[in-house]
Amino acid sequence: MLFVQKYGGTSVGSTERIRAVADRIAATVRAGHAVVVVVSAMGHSTDALVDLAAELVDSPDLREMDQLLATGEQVSAALVAMRLLAMGVQAKSLTGWQAGITTEPVHGNARVSQIDTRTLQSLIERGIVAIVTGFQGIAGGEVTTLGRGGSDTSAVALAAALGADVCEIYTDVDGVYTTDPRVVPNAKKLDDISYDEMLELANLGAQVLHPRAVENAKHFAVQLVVRSSFTEGEGTNVVAMTENRMEGRRVVTGIAFERHVARLAVVGVPLEEHALAAIFSSLAENGVNVDVIVQSVVDASAVDVSFTVNESDLGRAVEVVSSLQPTLRFHKIEREAPLAKVSIVGAGMISNPGVAAQMFVTLRDAEVPIHMVSTSEIKVSCVIPAHLVEKAVQALHQTFVEADTVTPLTNAER
């Protein structure tokens, strides 16, 4: 079998942990399998590099930041390769561009455009373990990075390009949990989770997998496993929806939450000016990511529109919208922070009416006020006061997970 194994920053955070990673890679090789490894930077070294740049300049050049940050993964890759070579395992470290990863010409948050696998295939055929730097590639001769968490994306992209049998994501937890065990100590590890559920959880604040990695895994049908680099547990399999639960499926698979949310409301927006298009186009052009949007009709000529942004973007969002007031003639802007967002996610919600109502009842009984609501087929999100987020997560976990509610399949589904 061909394995792609990705090791996160905590997994290679010290020489002792690098020894353990090398032992795991060597065991896979000695079992007769081919391995391509993707590594993140050691521990919090990327944060340290960002801090170094911040000490020198307020707004570092993006091209130079990519040059700087790409060095963190190179350290990890070289050290893992050195250890494997000392153990008698043939290995070679490669930067993203040496591994054939080409990206779009964007610094700081590039997307992989193609992968030339000839170098990696040659190493695989010769029994050499390639240790590839995650999080980076090349575009037009320039080093580019894929954004924070991009090593997951590197691993999935390589697995897809190489036709790997399995892509294993090794981290400091032993799988995907129903929620953050630091908030709910009795959170349950999931044996399996669908691509769609994992993508929703990743987008809603769960930090086990990068959303783009899950998206690519689903698109290319990459067999994905999340497991701990510190234990020998089975981990969690990320699978297609049809593989998930033969006898029934969970109504709610997990609870995600996101802190540092802010709400901005634009009051009295005139309809005839196409103001909503102008507001959200301007926010996008200025790099402000908008999440939950709620519109309410005031009268036949105006609406109020509320939306959430990351708390760090609130000031910029207010500036952008305020600059439109002379043209759009809305009444005023209101802001609210700090807030948080809590979400329930589950494929079983598609065929189960009343899940949202049960969520609202649970939050009401826990005395957690709801400020905004957003839904999709498999998730319901509520914006709530920031200081109540842990209370809300614990109450929702008690209702939906600890009750272990499973929806039986109908006769038609059978």
Side-chain angles (χ1 to χ4, degrees):
M1 295 177 64
L2 172 58
F3 287 81
V4 172
Q5 297 181 343
K6 179 262 177 177
Y7 293 93
T10 53
S11 300
V12 293
S14 65
T15 53
E16 180 182 356
R17 290 182 176 179
I18 287 174
R19 288 175 186 271
V21 164
D23 288 342
R24 189 181 293 270
I25 296 167
T28 307
V29 172
R30 288 166 181 160
H33 305 299
V35 187
V36 172
V37 176
V38 176
V39 291
S40 298
M42 294 178 66
H44 299 288
S45 59
T46 299
D47 292 331
L49 292 173
V50 171
D51 291 342
L52 279 175
E55 289 180 17
L56 296 172
V57 288
D58 293 331
S59 299
D61 180 82
L62 291 178
R63 188 262 182 192
E64 298 306 327
M65 280 301 290
D66 276 359
Q67 289 284 107
L68 174 66
L69 298 183
T71 62
E73 281 71 20
Q74 292 180 41
V75 172
S76 301
L79 289 173
V80 172
M82 287 178 189
R83 179 59 187 167
L84 286 170
L85 289 167
M87 297 170 65
V89 177
Q90 294 188 77
K92 185 175 184 178
S93 65
L94 301 171
T95 62
W97 69 266
Q98 288 174 322
I101 300 174
T102 302
T103 75
E104 60 187 10
V106 174
H107 287 296
N109 196 30
R111 291 180 175 269
V112 176
S113 55
Q114 64 180 15
I115 298 178
D116 182 342
T117 62
R118 287 176 294 180
T119 296
L120 292 174
Q121 292 285 12
S122 174
L123 293 174
I124 292 168
E125 290 168 5
R126 289 182 285 152
I128 300 173
V129 178
I131 314 295
V132 182
T133 55
F135 167 70
Q136 60 193 256
I138 195 167
E142 294 287 347
V143 173
T144 55
T145 63
L146 309 183
R148 298 304 291 267
S151 292
D152 287 352
T153 304
S154 299
V156 171
L158 286 171
L162 292 167
D165 296 285
V166 182
C167 180
E168 298 178 315
I169 306 294
Y170 285 94
T171 181
D172 55 354
V173 295
D174 56 353
V176 180
Y177 277 73
T178 49
T179 195
D180 189 338
R182 292 170 295 186
V183 175
V184 181
N186 59 342
K188 301 177 181 180
K189 184 178 75 69
L190 299 167
D191 294 328
D192 56 69
I193 186 171
S194 73
Y195 290 119
D196 290 330
E197 290 169 325
M198 189 67 248
L199 184 57
E200 286 282 13
L201 288 172
N203 278 317
L204 292 168
Q207 298 178 356
V208 179
L209 284 172
H210 194 271
R212 276 162 52 192
V214 182
E215 183 181 2
N216 288 332
K218 178 185 177 182
H219 181 75
F220 293 105
V222 173
Q223 177 70 36
L224 201 58
V225 182
V226 180
R227 51 169 47 114
S228 172
S229 59
F230 307 130
T231 66
E232 297 298 328
E234 291 298 319
T236 299
N237 293 292
V238 185
V239 299
M241 190 81 76
T242 54
E243 298 174 47
N244 208 20
R245 292 266 184 170
M246 296 303 293
E247 295 300 323
R249 55 180 177 265
R250 300 171 289 258
V251 176
V252 172
T253 296
I255 294 102
F257 60 93
E258 183 179 347
R259 305 180 194 270
H260 309 299
V261 173
R263 183 183 73 91
L264 192 150
V266 188
V267 180
V269 180
L271 290 176
E272 70 274 9
E273 300 291 345
H274 302 289
L276 296 183
I279 289 170
F280 291 108
S281 295
S282 296
L283 289 166
E285 290 166 3
N286 285 273
V288 178
N289 185 43
V290 175
D291 188 12
V292 180
I293 303 173
V294 175
Q295 176 184 297
S296 55
V297 177
V298 177
D299 53 42
S301 62
V303 298
D304 294 344
V305 59
S306 300
F307 56 90
T308 62
V309 298
N310 188 281
E311 196 172 355
S312 63
D313 289 333
L314 179 59
R316 185 155 37 120
V318 170
E319 288 180 10
V320 170
V321 177
S322 296
S323 70
L324 300 173
Q325 203 282 331
T327 303
L328 302 181
R329 305 189 312 277
F330 53 79
H331 296 164
K332 62 179 179 177
I333 298 173
E334 298 175 349
R335 68 183 83 180
E336 184 179 13
L339 298 171
K341 183 174 68 175
V342 61
S343 307
I344 57 173
V345 175
M349 294 167 59
I350 296 173
S351 57
N352 277 271
V355 177
Q358 185 61 56
M359 180 182 191
F360 302 151
V361 168
T362 298
L363 293 177
R364 180 202 65 192
D365 292 346
E367 300 182 338
V368 177
I370 300 171
H371 293 215
M372 301 174 75
V373 176
S374 173
T375 66
S376 74
E377 279 190 325
I378 64 170
K379 65 98 173 169
V380 182
S381 297
C382 294
V383 177
I384 63 174
H387 70 282
L388 295 175
V389 64
E390 294 192 2
K391 183 179 182 182
V393 171
Q394 290 161 0
L396 292 170
H397 195 271
Q398 174 69 41
T399 296
F400 290 109
V401 177
E402 293 173 34
D404 198 24
T405 304
V406 176
T407 306
L409 298 178
T410 65
N411 290 332
E413 287 175 317
R414 291 180 192 281

